[in-house]
Amino acid sequence: MAGFTERASARIAERLEPLVGSAHDAASDPPVKSARTTVVVGRLLGAAFLICFGTGVYSHLLQDPLPWLPMPTRPVELYRWTQGLHVIAGTAAVPLLLAKLWTVYPRLFTWPPVTSFAHFLERASIAVLVGVSLVEVTIGLMNLVQWYAFPFPFRATHFALAWVLVGALAIHLGVKLPVIVRVWRRPSGDRADATGRFVSRRGFLAAVGAAAASAVALTAGQSVPALAPLNVLAPRRMGVGPQGLPINRTAAQAGVTETAVARDWVLTVASPAGSRDFTLDDLRALPQSEEVLPIACVEGWSQSATWRGVRLVDLLAAAEAGEPTAPLRIESLQERGAFARTEMPPQYARDPLTLVALELNGGTLDIDHGYPARVIAPGRPGVMQTKWLRRIEVTS
């Protein structure tokens, strides 16, 4: 058995020798593939990952709120900022991750691959970190264009892998802390530029920075008005869509093209005290309010718009439903989909800016924007701003 193992190891080593040799040759180019270059790129990549993690947790809490943790309704553009930052940081992470892998790939093929149990743990944590990072940024980019070519739910998987990534990152930083500290504290006199085989260290870092900045500049215009003229790569653009506002899901995709325009449509408001049906004319007869609120979606695009309709608190009062102290259950005419039924925490329901909107930007709601009525509330994800309303239930 021992002889068989030795022969197998020798054959594997022989096959990998060209790869290992080229890796060692590349590793001997210290200016670009040095520990300092890796740490510099790693700082930026780590910051991008932590920004994505923090803003992603916030988005998850808005979509799956904890009963004991009230979420803020002000400022009204808070979610627009956090989710825009989430997607911007995630986009910048793509070239940074590729650059980081390029600086360390020779060391991924060192031979023998494991020299001790501690070395095994280090290599295992790196394998998890690299694998999860690649999956996270890949499915994140696919979500931006709503291309779900994978057999698992995006949101739950993306959220779970984020915790795995942060844990693996913490382990990796702990293992590499001596190297990071040594390079980070290197005296400024030792930081002179050096020329490698093809490019200098500074040239490489400048190219990586330019790639990350370009990726952000050419996509961030879907949420940052100042960069809107440069938005040539993002799937949605400000001002493009029905009534000058982008959309994610059309009425046809939701299967409501007939029910949304039916003559017998009513909005039912139910509570422990009873229920009342409101026709579209009934809603229009109630006091109307106009607010400028953003629509901000998890894919990173956002835009402010002028909404007009009935304050939700006024609608509940008209239905004698009382002031909500528990989440409202909101149902759409849409029969299928993860957000055909949503819950609204009471602090949003009581907010005077929350509307059952009937108009958008001075005109009747387009059917793709939720005609005959939709919810619009401050500081909530677009998927929670239910379109094509059918029923609002006060649970207590």
Side-chain angles (χ1 to χ4, degrees):
M1 183 67 180
F4 173 78
T5 303
E6 291 177 0
R7 290 194 301 273
S9 299
R11 180 166 297 182
I12 292 174
E14 182 182 351
R15 293 292 180 88
L16 291 178
E17 184 177 358
L19 179 60
V20 174
S22 63
H24 284 306
D25 291 342
S28 65
D29 186 1
V32 175
K33 296 183 180 178
S34 64
R36 171 156 179 76
T37 306
T38 301
V39 169
V40 171
V41 176
R43 293 177 194 171
L44 299 175
L45 180 60
F49 278 164
L50 290 178
I51 290 172
C52 286
F53 180 73
T55 53
V57 168
Y58 180 73
S59 179
H60 184 82
L61 289 174
L62 286 174
Q63 296 177 63
D64 294 298
L66 300 174
W68 51 268
L69 183 63
M71 305 302 289
T73 64
R74 298 289 191 282
V76 297
E77 295 195 342
L78 180 58
Y79 185 72
R80 181 181 189 181
W81 300 334
T82 60
Q83 194 62 14
L85 186 59
H86 180 87
V87 173
I88 288 172
T91 302
V94 175
L96 293 174
L97 177 60
L98 295 177
K100 177 72 181 291
L101 292 177
W102 191 78
T103 65
V104 301
Y105 90 86
R107 293 187 286 279
L108 299 178
F109 297 101
T110 56
W111 192 265
V114 176
T115 58
S116 66
F117 182 70
H119 189 214
F120 166 76
L121 293 179
E122 176 188 348
R123 301 278 289 185
S125 68
I126 291 174
V128 172
L129 180 59
V130 171
V132 171
S133 298
L134 290 172
V135 172
E136 279 286 80
V137 297
T138 299
I139 65 175
L141 291 175
M142 293 172 70
N143 178 63
L144 297 185
V145 296
Q146 296 183 297
W147 180 37
Y148 304 109
F150 34 80
F152 47 81
F154 166 76
R155 190 166 66 94
T157 304
H158 198 59
F159 184 64
L161 289 180
W163 288 94
V164 177
L165 190 155
V166 169
L169 180 60
I171 295 173
H172 181 64
L173 291 176
V175 171
K176 293 297 184 181
L177 189 60
V179 176
I180 295 172
V181 171
R182 185 180 70 249
V183 175
W184 204 304
R185 294 181 176 178
R186 183 179 299 174
S188 59
D190 294 339
R191 296 180 182 179
D193 192 21
T195 302
R197 186 178 304 166
F198 301 109
V199 66
S200 70
R201 180 172 57 214
R202 288 180 182 172
F204 173 73
L205 294 175
V208 173
S214 297
V216 169
L218 298 176
T219 57
Q222 64 177 346
S223 60
V224 181
L227 296 177
L230 301 178
N231 181 20
V232 297
L233 296 182
R236 292 169 188 81
R237 292 169 175 77
M238 289 188 182
V240 178
Q243 296 178 286
L245 189 67
I247 57 171
N248 268 2
R249 191 171 182 82
T250 67
Q253 290 172 328
V256 299
T257 51
E258 295 182 3
T259 54
V261 298
R263 292 181 178 274
D264 60 349
W265 175 88
V266 293
L267 172 59
T268 300
V269 180
S271 72
S275 66
R276 178 178 171 183
D277 292 340
F278 292 85
T279 66
L280 186 55
D281 288 338
D282 292 335
L283 294 175
R284 288 170 175 163
L286 293 173
Q288 304 290 295
S289 297
E290 186 172 280
E291 304 292 348
V292 176
L293 295 172
I295 187 79
C297 287
V298 294
E299 292 82 10
W301 68 266
S302 60
Q303 184 179 326
S304 290
T306 301
W307 307 87
R308 183 176 174 81
V310 184
R311 296 185 193 274
L312 184 54
V313 289
D314 294 340
L315 179 62
L316 297 178
E320 300 181 350
E323 183 174 303
T325 58
L328 273 61
R329 296 193 183 101
I330 302 176
E331 296 182 12
S332 170
L333 292 171
Q334 178 182 342
E335 294 292 341
R336 298 180 180 179
F339 298 98
R341 292 164 182 79
T342 62
E343 287 194 351
M344 177 182 287
Q347 66 268 25
Y348 292 97
R350 294 192 298 262
D351 194 295
L353 296 184
T354 300
L355 302 178
V356 172
L358 308 176
E359 299 180 15
L360 168 61
N361 288 337
T364 301
L365 272 176
D366 186 272
I367 191 171
D368 285 338
H369 282 303
Y371 178 88
R374 70 169 297 164
V375 167
I376 186 73
R380 302 197 79 199
V383 291
M384 311 299 289
Q385 313 278 34
T386 308
K387 299 193 286 187
W388 312 295
L389 286 176
R390 173 170 60 186
R391 178 181 175 91
I392 298 175
E393 181 180 354
V394 180
T395 56
S396 66

